Amino acid sequence: MSGAAVPAGVGGLRGSLRAAAVTAVFAVAAVTGGLLVVVAGPGGNWTLASNVVHSLLLLAAGWWLLRSPDGRHVGGLLLAAGAAGAGTVFAAGWTALGWPGWQAAAWVQLWLWALFVVPLFTVLPGIFPDGRPPTPTWRWVPWLGVAAAAVTVLDGALGPGPLPTGEQPAPANPLAVGFSPALALASAVTVGVAVLAALASLAVRWRRGNRTQRQQLKFLWYALALVITIELVGGLMPRPVAQVGYFLIPVLLVGAIALSVRRYRLYDIDPFIRRTVVLAALTALIFAVYLGVVSVLGTAVGPAPGLALIASAVVAATADPVRRRVQRAVTRWLFGQREEPVGGAGRPARAVAGGRRPGGAARDHRHRGGPRAARPVRVGPAARRRRGRGGGPGRHAARRARGGGAAGVARRAGGDAHGRPPRAG
């Protein structure tokens, strides 16, 4: 599907206009707050830029998803998170300029960030991608995420602070309570449990979902794989490059969520996955083989000018066969036996000949609602008694086999088994 706009997504045209108005108001608030922080002094940094851009990204993705009937719940959640992020940035700008009520604006920053971050990790996985839990049994997972966000908000609002005013020393939270350590512990526990439950619900949806839902989840898995790669490689890169990578993490995740919910070019993700896996495996192989050859030969013969040339030759000799094997394996995982039609066609026959039921067909029938596999017919007590006396269906079948067909008619007429009439005399 191309993800065309559907005006009936949120109550028709009126709902679309309301969503657009909310998006525009909070987008202006995010940009204004960022400018206020920059004008107030040396407050412009990567954190501020990330908060502004990510708030705008969530607002835009939420508005786009709200235009589709399938994206109402996910779009509303993204829009609410973007609005919370925009409010946090605007409150930071208000506090930085010291306008009237800056203490209240600083206090708002202590807890509003929780609505900007926590629901994306606790509530969203439980309702992704269709806005509903995978099964009614898992309906408690999104509500647990809501509870985790609420406890985190209370922890920030009633915690000791300090207020984010940019001053040193920063003033403490005037609304702090004595049981704030208990709130901090409850927030950490509920958020951790909610995240684990949300990830488990994603696994259940993958197992029980149909083909379309699995394709939608592939967008998210692909983005998560890229995020993990950025986190692992970021520590080895220069600081500016690592900051750009960290800046792109929310962009990858939100973009994958929006495209998968709208089912935009849904089945084009498989070639990207295949190429990425092949490229990553080939790159890792090249580094490993090159370093291994150089290390082994360097230890054995000592420093020599031809070590790099030998290592390059070994890499060139092993790269193409490994690429073919990895590409074949990934293609088989994504598309089945597309590149090996003869072997794929012979697999069910080999399974039946070996006394096993073809597992692939059984899984397809179970997941796609097809016909169930035939089950053995149970024989009742009466049939078993007849079979024990030499009767039963087998006796009648043998009798029909002996007397049926043209040969049986010929024998009954006095002819031979081939239907020829008896010889005279």
Side-chain angles (χ1 to χ4, degrees):
M1 298 180 64
S2 61
V6 181
V10 188
L13 182 61
R14 185 176 302 176
S16 299
L17 291 177
R18 285 199 298 266
V22 171
T23 302
V25 168
F26 282 99
V28 172
V31 175
T32 303
L35 293 176
L36 291 178
V37 172
V38 173
V39 170
N45 49 30
W46 274 101
T47 303
L48 175 64
S50 300
N51 290 336
V52 173
V53 174
H54 298 158
S55 299
L56 295 177
L57 178 65
L58 289 171
L59 290 170
W63 170 77
W64 188 47
L65 293 181
L66 282 171
R67 300 177 63 200
S68 170
D70 296 332
R72 289 182 297 175
H73 297 89
V74 176
L77 180 61
L78 295 183
L79 186 63
T88 304
V89 175
F90 186 78
W94 193 284
T95 304
L97 288 178
W99 287 349
W102 63 268
Q103 296 90 344
W107 175 76
V108 167
Q109 297 178 62
L110 290 177
W111 56 267
L112 191 57
W113 69 268
L115 300 179
F116 177 39
V117 177
V118 176
L120 299 179
F121 296 94
T122 59
V123 181
L124 181 60
I127 62 174
F128 178 81
D130 55 1
R132 295 183 297 272
T135 62
T137 308
W138 292 82
R139 195 175 299 168
W140 57 274
V141 173
W143 291 109
L144 179 62
V146 172
V151 174
T152 307
V153 167
L154 289 177
D155 178 38
L158 304 179
L163 296 179
T165 59
E167 301 176 356
Q168 295 296 334
N173 182 9
L175 299 180
V177 295
F179 55 89
S180 57
L183 280 177
L185 178 61
S187 172
V189 171
T190 52
V191 169
V193 174
V195 169
L196 293 177
L199 294 177
S201 68
L202 277 179
V204 172
R205 190 182 297 274
W206 173 266
R207 179 171 179 80
R208 298 189 179 185
N210 53 26
R211 185 181 181 186
T212 300
Q213 290 182 343
R214 291 190 175 188
Q215 288 296 124
Q216 290 175 292
L217 288 174
K218 284 181 182 180
F219 276 86
L220 185 60
W221 302 145
Y222 184 73
L224 286 175
L226 294 180
V227 168
I228 294 174
T229 303
I230 293 174
E231 291 287 349
L232 294 177
V233 180
L236 305 176
M237 297 295 176
R239 181 174 177 80
V241 178
Q243 286 180 337
V244 173
Y246 299 147
F247 178 82
L248 291 177
I249 287 178
V251 178
L252 292 172
L253 294 176
V254 176
I257 291 170
L259 293 177
S260 62
V261 172
R262 290 299 296 265
R263 303 182 185 182
Y264 181 78
R265 302 181 71 90
L266 191 60
Y267 290 91
D268 289 346
I269 188 63
D270 290 334
F272 280 100
I273 294 177
R274 180 179 62 178
R275 293 166 187 167
T276 304
V277 172
V278 172
L279 179 61
L282 195 60
T283 304
L285 171 74
I286 290 175
F287 277 104
V289 172
Y290 187 86
L291 293 178
V293 171
V294 170
S295 300
V296 171
L297 293 182
T299 305
V301 301
L307 290 181
L309 182 60
I310 297 175
S312 301
V314 174
V315 167
T318 58
D320 189 64
V322 171
R323 181 190 65 81
R324 292 177 181 274
R325 287 180 177 273
V326 172
Q327 185 171 357
R328 189 181 300 114
V330 175
T331 302
R332 188 183 300 118
W333 172 57
L334 291 174
F335 306 107
Q337 299 288 336
R338 189 180 69 173
E339 293 186 355
E340 300 175 1
V342 177
R347 180 176 296 178
R350 291 193 298 269
V352 173
R356 296 179 290 104
R357 189 173 65 179
R363 284 194 297 271
D364 290 343
H365 292 325
R366 183 173 66 252
H367 289 297
R368 300 179 186 177
R372 294 181 179 269
R375 296 180 178 179
V377 178
R378 295 182 178 180
V379 180
R384 287 197 294 269
R385 287 194 296 270
R386 290 196 301 270
R387 185 174 298 174
R389 295 194 300 266
R395 179 186 60 181
H396 299 291
R399 182 178 300 173
R400 287 193 298 269
R402 289 194 301 268
V409 173
R411 284 195 296 269
R412 288 194 293 271
D416 58 5
H418 298 285
R420 293 189 292 267
R423 297 180 180 178

